[in-house]
Amino acid sequence: LSQHCIFCRIVRGEIPSRIVYENESVVAFRDTDPRAPTHVLVVPRVHVGSVGELEDPAVAGHLVLAARRVAEATGIAESGYRLVLNTGADAGQSVHHIHLHVLGGRPMTWPPG
Ligand code: 5GP
Ligand code: ZN
């Protein structure tokens, strides 16, 4: 399963990515199809399919705290940013490895589309 998972392959370095932050629990890299001036994905090093399969609260905590580090490192912390966890079909989740979107660098609209 995780052998062919695209984000597991990015975590292992088998697929190149533009990493902006990493620690022992997570890797954060630029989205290849950015929807905002700053668009970074934070993923756990362990394979978790989605929020629907999340069991370890530490994984959720590491994702959110890493997102804060990403915001600080990319200069969007002051102006603000949005964190998104698309989960399942209606939300448009397209990669089945949990990933926290960090979006910023422009004003966001609400509600999301
Ligand atoms: P989702 O639609 O599942 O919430 O988000 C998946 C995101 O992964 C999309 O924004 C898409 O552009 C991004 N993505 C898909 N494949 C790759 C890849 O190989 N490298 C990177 N950096 N981003 C990817
Ligand atoms: Zn994976």
Side-chain angles (χ1 to χ4, degrees), residues 6-7 10 15-18 29-35 39 41 86 91-95 99 101:
I6 188 160
F7 287 172
I10 285 176
I15 294 174
S17 67
R18 295 171 60 200
F29 52 88
R30 303 249 178 214
D31 197 298
T32 47
D33 184 18
R35 302 309 177 105
H39 187 173
L41 304 173
N86 289 326
Q93 183 179 359
S94 62
V95 177
H99 47 283
H101 293 260

Side-chain angles (χ1 to χ4, degrees), residues 55-74:
E55 299 198 35
D56 183 356
V59 169
H62 284 303
L63 288 177
V64 174
L65 285 177
R68 173 195 174 172
R69 296 302 173 209
V70 167
E72 292 166 349
T74 59

